[in-house]
Amino acid sequence: MNKLKKVFSTIILSAVMLTVGCDNNDTSTSTPTNPAITAKSPINDATNVALNKTISFSFSEAMDPETINATTFSLKQGTTPVLGTVGYSGTTATFTPSKPLTAGTVYSATISATAKSATGISLGANTSWNFTTGINAQGLSAVGLGTAGNYVILAKTAINNSPTSIITGDLGLSPAATSYITGLSLTNATGYATSAQITGKIYAADMVSPTSINLTTAVNDMTTAYNDAAGRPTPNFSELGTGNIGGKTLTEGLYKWTNTVTVPTNLIISGSATDVWIFQIAGDLTVSSGVKITLSGGAQAKNIFWQVAGTASIGTTAQFNGVILSKTGITFATGATLTGRALAQTAVILDKNIVTKP
């Protein structure tokens, strides 16, 4: 009996070991995941698309550039192919038509299943989408900053800094005086000041002419720019995510919210170097700590405008891109970075930040 038990135990142990071995083999030979399209610009069924639009689309991983070409991507008007140039960089491909598109026309874009990732895995299925051009559509135009664009930070009431920040670009404050610029250890000169924390100059309303006159013009231009951004009609997107835009990929266009906007998780802004984004926010803008706002497909911070009627708060170590036009204040928590401009109709508060003009 004991001998039979021993034989039976041996059989069970062998079966278990065989099962484990089979599981390991299944893991090592699992089917690779196909790459996917994560963003398209214009989006599917978009209307009023600009006639000079560069088509862009982003992948979930790096692709083999040799497979992103005029054979694997096509743009058609009906059955007629549109001539143009295909480009690829990072994880984003672009198609630039050789001549302007036709107004009021439906176009169909297709990426072939044969496009492959850098590891040789194909898309697996064709991806197609449609969009319609506008009548005399030339695309969303950038917000004109006027002389406010001469400053990386411009405020009316105060610029307060907790050292040490690293700022590239000029700072301006008006109608408040130099004494309302704190934490930058200013060295005064004629008509401006300098700081070891700034690659640029600092200007305030009580400095000698023409500084005060220039600042008055810049502040007026800042207000004009804010009103322009706030007044743009016919948004492409309204109340997106009911104000929570974390985790989204935002293509070019005019976005409108009637309340506060939050960015609790990473955000991608995807489009070409000529695309424009205007975000109309009737409440506050709050970006959580550690969040990254990433630009994709050639999108540029200088073409992204955050019009904020309330306060703009950028969390600890967050990475922010774009021009902030705030009717009230802008606050950067410890270690946050900005590539863009902070233009506030009250104060700008800094805390060991990196601020770089776009």
Side-chain angles (χ1 to χ4, degrees):
M1 181 65 70
N2 289 337
K3 187 175 181 180
L4 288 174
K5 287 182 178 180
K6 185 175 181 180
V7 170
F8 185 65
S9 298
T10 301
I11 292 172
I12 292 175
L13 179 61
S14 298
V16 170
M17 292 179 68
L18 180 60
T19 300
V20 172
C22 289
D23 287 344
N24 287 339
N25 288 338
D26 289 344
T27 299
S28 63
T29 58
S30 60
T31 303
T33 302
N34 298 95
I37 306 298
T38 58
K40 301 183 287 286
S41 179
I43 61 173
N44 188 40
D45 293 331
T47 58
N48 201 37
V49 173
L51 307 184
N52 60 352
K53 173 67 177 174
T54 294
I55 315 304
S56 67
F57 40 99
S58 298
F59 299 92
S60 58
E61 58 186 281
M63 302 293 286
D64 178 358
E66 297 297 322
T67 69
I68 308 298
N69 51 44
T71 300
T72 56
F73 177 80
S74 65
L75 181 67
K76 292 183 178 181
Q77 177 187 343
T79 59
T80 304
V82 176
L83 298 179
T85 303
V86 178
Y88 179 76
S89 178
T91 58
T92 299
T94 58
F95 177 79
T96 305
S98 300
K99 61 181 182 180
L101 303 177
T102 303
T105 302
V106 177
Y107 286 86
S108 177
T110 301
I111 305 169
S112 169
T114 57
K116 295 181 179 180
S117 70
T119 57
I121 308 301
S122 70
L123 284 176
N126 291 352
T127 299
S128 299
W129 72 99
N130 300 320
F131 62 87
T132 305
T133 54
I135 304 299
N136 299 319
Q138 297 302 316
L140 187 64
S141 60
V143 176
L145 299 179
T147 59
N150 295 337
Y151 304 88
V152 68
I153 297 175
L154 180 63
K156 287 185 176 183
T157 62
I159 299 174
N160 300 138
N161 174 58
S162 294
T164 300
S165 292
I166 302 172
I167 302 170
T168 302
D170 292 343
L171 278 65
L173 181 65
S174 179
T178 307
S179 60
Y180 289 89
I181 302 175
T182 62
L184 290 170
S185 300
L186 302 185
T187 299
N188 292 320
T190 303
Y192 65 92
T194 60
S195 168
Q197 299 178 61
I198 301 173
T199 302
K201 297 178 178 178
I202 305 101
Y203 301 92
D206 59 338
M207 294 177 178
V208 299
S209 185
T211 295
S212 58
I213 297 172
N214 291 341
L215 284 172
T216 297
T217 301
V219 167
N220 287 337
D221 287 347
M222 174 175 66
T223 302
T224 299
Y226 176 90
N227 292 336
D228 175 20
R232 295 292 181 95
T234 318
N236 304 104
F237 307 90
S238 294
E239 313 299 344
L240 180 69
T242 62
N244 181 338
I245 57 175
K248 296 188 180 300
T249 297
L250 305 182
T251 56
E252 51 87 24
L254 179 63
Y255 294 71
K256 183 180 182 66
W257 294 273
T258 56
N259 212 319
T260 290
V261 169
T262 61
V263 191
T265 56
N266 292 348
L267 172 70
I268 298 174
I269 297 178
S270 178
S272 72
T274 58
D275 284 340
V276 174
W277 293 257
I278 299 177
F279 303 115
Q280 298 173 330
I281 303 171
D284 298 333
L285 169 64
T286 302
V287 180
S288 296
S289 296
V291 165
K292 296 181 180 179
I293 295 180
T294 304
L295 306 186
S296 173
Q300 299 191 70
K302 69 177 183 179
N303 292 331
I304 303 167
F305 301 91
W306 302 84
Q307 174 263 311
V308 185
T311 59
S313 301
I314 315 302
T316 303
T317 71
Q319 299 177 19
F320 193 88
N321 281 281
V323 178
I324 305 174
L325 291 159
S326 174
K327 194 171 185 178
T328 50
I330 303 173
T331 298
F332 295 93
T334 306
T337 66
L338 166 68
T339 300
R341 303 184 191 277
L343 309 179
Q345 296 184 39
T346 59
V348 174
I349 310 299
L350 305 166
D351 187 354
K352 302 177 183 63
N353 305 121
I354 298 175
V355 180
T356 307
K357 64 183 179 181

